């Protein structure tokens, strides 16, 4: 168990970078889709073309749905992974501190407090 936790602590910087990238995509992609959809909608409405306005409205609704899906996907994946880790892996003979446990602790930001008791391999030892 200690070796697995040490491995999780060693992977902490990479998991934190991955967490930041996921959050960045989770918020930026829907925002970009919303802005581009609004711009297309404004162009279609100002052109006074009913067919273009209907097409722009359909495209805007699709972009809005894609944006909501992209925004909710990481949340739903984290929810499923937490349920699997808490209910399935902890109640079985499999060690629950596997990659899934590391991932869930990194996403919940509890890995920092857990790793205080372990040696940080990224700090250079001045005695060597």
């Amino acid at each position: 168990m200690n070796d697995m936790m040490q491995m999780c602590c060693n992977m902490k910087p990479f998991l934190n970078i991955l967490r930041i990238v996921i959050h960045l995509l989770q918020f930026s992609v829907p925002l970009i889709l919303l802005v581009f959809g609004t711009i297309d909608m404004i162009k279609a409405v100002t052109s006074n073309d009913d067919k273009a306005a209907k097409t722009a409205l359909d495209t805007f609704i699709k972009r809005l749905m894609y944006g909501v899906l992209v925004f909710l996907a990481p949340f739903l994946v984290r929810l499923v992974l937490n349920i699997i880790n808490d209910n399935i892996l902890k109640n079985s003979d499999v060690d629950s501190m596997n990659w899934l446990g590391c991932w869930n602790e990194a996403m919940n930001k509890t890995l920092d407090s857990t790793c205080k008791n372990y040696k940080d391999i990224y700090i250079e030892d001045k005695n060597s």
Side-chain angles (χ1 to χ4, degrees), residues 49-110:
D49 185 9
D50 289 338
K51 186 175 181 182
K54 172 122 175 69
T55 306
L57 180 63
D58 291 342
T59 305
F60 181 73
I61 291 172
K62 285 180 187 176
R63 285 182 180 173
L64 193 61
M65 288 189 302
Y66 293 146
V68 169
L69 184 66
V70 168
F71 181 76
L72 291 178
F75 170 73
L76 295 174
V77 169
R78 280 183 59 199
L79 182 68
V80 168
L81 291 178
N82 276 325
I83 290 171
I84 289 172
N85 189 44
D86 292 342
N87 297 324
I88 296 173
L89 292 180
K90 293 213 181 195
N91 295 330
S92 69
D93 294 332
V94 178
D95 182 20
S96 65
M97 203 58 202
N98 51 21
W99 72 270
L100 190 55
C102 295
W103 174 256
N104 287 334
E105 286 208 25
M107 291 303 286
N108 295 333
K109 297 181 184 178
T110 57

Side-chain angles (χ1 to χ4, degrees), residues 2-84:
N2 286 340
D3 292 335
M4 186 61 76
M5 188 48 120
Q6 180 66 43
M7 184 186 73
C8 285
C9 293
N10 293 343
M11 291 185 347
K12 182 176 71 169
F14 306 109
L15 291 173
N16 284 338
I17 290 171
L18 189 59
R19 178 178 50 81
I20 290 169
V21 168
I22 288 172
H23 284 296
L24 184 68
L25 290 174
Q26 182 181 12
F27 291 103
S28 64
V29 169
L31 184 66
I32 289 170
L33 287 172
L34 186 65
V35 167
F36 285 152
T38 304
I39 291 172
D40 287 345
M41 191 67 186
I42 290 172
K43 286 194 302 189
V45 168
T46 57
S47 71
N48 291 328
D49 185 9
D50 289 338
K51 186 175 181 182
K54 172 122 175 69
T55 306
L57 180 63
D58 291 342
T59 305
F60 181 73
I61 291 172
K62 285 180 187 176
R63 285 182 180 173
L64 193 61
M65 288 189 302
Y66 293 146
V68 169
L69 184 66
V70 168
F71 181 76
L72 291 178
F75 170 73
L76 295 174
V77 169
R78 280 183 59 199
L79 182 68
V80 168
L81 291 178
N82 276 325
I83 290 171
I84 289 172

